[in-house]
Amino acid sequence: MTPQRKIILEEIANTNTHPSADEIYELVRRRLPRISLGTVYRNLEVLCECGLIRKMDLGDGHWRFDGNAESHYHVRCTSCGRITDLYMEELCDFENIIRQQTGYEGVGHRLDFYGLCPVCKREREIPHRTDLPSSRPGAAGESEGM
Amino acid sequence: MTPQRKIILEEIANTNTHPSADEIYELVRRRLPRISLGTVYRNLEVLCECGLIRKMDLGDGHWRFDGNAESHYHVRCTSCGRITDLYMEELCDFENIIRQQTGYEGVGHRLDFYGLCPVCKREREIPHRTDLPSSRPGAAGESEGM
DNA sequence: ATAACTGCAAACGTTTTGCCAGCAT
DNA sequence: ATGCTGGCAAAACGTTTGCAGTTAT
């Protein structure tokens, strides 16, 4: 556990935003300005192998990292990219069905959700606010993910 | 519908292996040797938009394409990469639960399974066959995906 | 004439790797 | 001195894009 590794772990533990490798790099760089992106990637890999963090692919083209290593599902906002944890039971039953149907063994699954988060939803519902400066009608201007 | 586009679609329709863009490129190249990978990507995009094929991310770092555009789930073999279609109902109930729990709207999901396919399983169970030529004990030599 | 399309090559963004120096054991 | 680690830069990977020429309408 080198200083770099420790700080990377701390930064992940101190956030609940499921940051990407690059976001972690930026966070860590504030404390360790000379750290390199390669080191971040290498340590993220090690921390995953130890089970201290969790690496996940939520379909937006980055690896995302979660300081909460317990298995749980996520919803991702297709507009702003925000990721929210879900508190629901895991689907175990399906894996037996699949084994019977296909003969695959050791079946696991990946399940994640996407949608429009409450904040972005509200922005669309009220696209032309009058109580805020510099808001123009129809000037939403986000890119739709996935 | 250019000749290129048509042949790309035909090749996808004629396979059930859920090929990647590069695999499709190789298939099409046998009939259209001068086609470029960029054209393949562009046409795959168009065909997806038309709903004639389906683009999916099964977590192995490639886009995969499915000539069966009806929504269905998949299992991917972590050893050989084989992808098998599943015939099971879709999970709709969850999306309402998530909306209530999180306030997200228009919730969709992505669910896929992974495991060891029957062929690879068999290879591991019987690592030293005596009834086949040139088989060596413990010479499995595959890379474990994901 | 115009719009959509191609082939080619270069660019892209994320992740991985090779190299050599530094540090702790 | 050994082996793990860090910083740096370059490579790798799948994918996307700019461009100039081509095709079909």
Side-chain angles (χ1 to χ4, degrees), chain B residues 4 9 11 19 29 40 56 60 62 69 78 80 92 106 120 127 129:
Chain B
Q4 288 90 336
L9 182 55
E11 289 298 332
R29 212 137 73 109
V40 171
M56 59 203 196
D60 63 349
H62 313 263
T78 48
C80 69
C92 316
C120 293
R129 288 206 209 164

Side-chain angles (χ1 to χ4, degrees), chain A residues 16-18 56 58 64 72-78 80-88 111-118, chain B residues 94-95 97-110:
Chain A
N16 58 350
T17 60
H18 311 80
M56 59 202 196
L58 260 40
R64 302 207 157 266
H72 58 281
Y73 299 128
H74 301 90
V75 218
R76 179 172 54 83
C77 178
T78 48
C80 69
R82 177 197 321 269
I83 292 161
T84 305
D85 287 329
L86 291 175
Y87 303 98
M88 52 184 270
L111 170 61
D112 47 71
F113 298 87
Y114 50 86
L116 195 64
C117 77
Chain B
F94 287 105
E95 300 177 354
I97 298 174
I98 285 153
R99 193 173 57 197
Q100 287 167 27
Q101 197 184 104
T102 64
Y104 276 62
E105 285 295 341
V107 176
H109 71 276
R110 184 179 63 160

Side-chain angles (χ1 to χ4, degrees), chain A residues 104, chain B residues 76-82 114-117 143-146:
Chain A
Y104 275 63
Chain B
R76 179 172 54 83
C77 178
T78 48
S79 177
C80 69
R82 178 196 323 269
Y114 50 85
L116 196 64
C117 77
S143 68
E144 186 76 23
M146 191 156 181

Side-chain angles (χ1 to χ4, degrees), chain B residues 37 41-42 61-63:
Chain B
L37 188 54
Y41 272 104
R42 272 185 290 233
H62 313 263
W63 287 116

Side-chain angles (χ1 to χ4, degrees), chain B residues 19-104:
Chain B
S20 65
D22 205 67
E23 286 162 356
I24 293 164
Y25 173 54
E26 290 302 334
L27 287 170
V28 172
R29 212 137 73 109
R30 303 209 291 242
R31 297 170 61 185
L32 249 37
R34 298 187 49 78
I35 200 171
S36 78
L37 188 54
T39 299
V40 171
Y41 272 104
R42 272 185 290 233
N43 279 312
L44 289 172
E45 193 62 41
V46 172
L47 291 169
C48 285
E49 279 166 17
C50 303
L52 290 170
I53 63 172
R54 185 171 271 263
K55 187 186 197 178
M56 59 203 196
D57 163 19
L58 260 41
D60 63 349
H62 313 263
W63 287 116
R64 302 208 156 266
F65 298 88
D66 196 338
N68 174 6
E70 285 163 50
S71 173
H72 58 280
Y73 299 128
H74 301 91
V75 218
R76 179 172 54 83
C77 178
T78 48
S79 177
C80 69
R82 178 196 323 269
I83 292 161
T84 305
D85 287 328
L86 290 175
Y87 303 97
M88 53 184 269
E89 295 161 38
E90 286 202 54
L91 292 75
C92 316
D93 328 356
F94 287 105
E95 300 177 354
N96 275 326
I97 298 174
I98 285 153
R99 193 173 57 197
Q100 287 167 27
Q101 197 184 104
T102 64
Y104 276 62

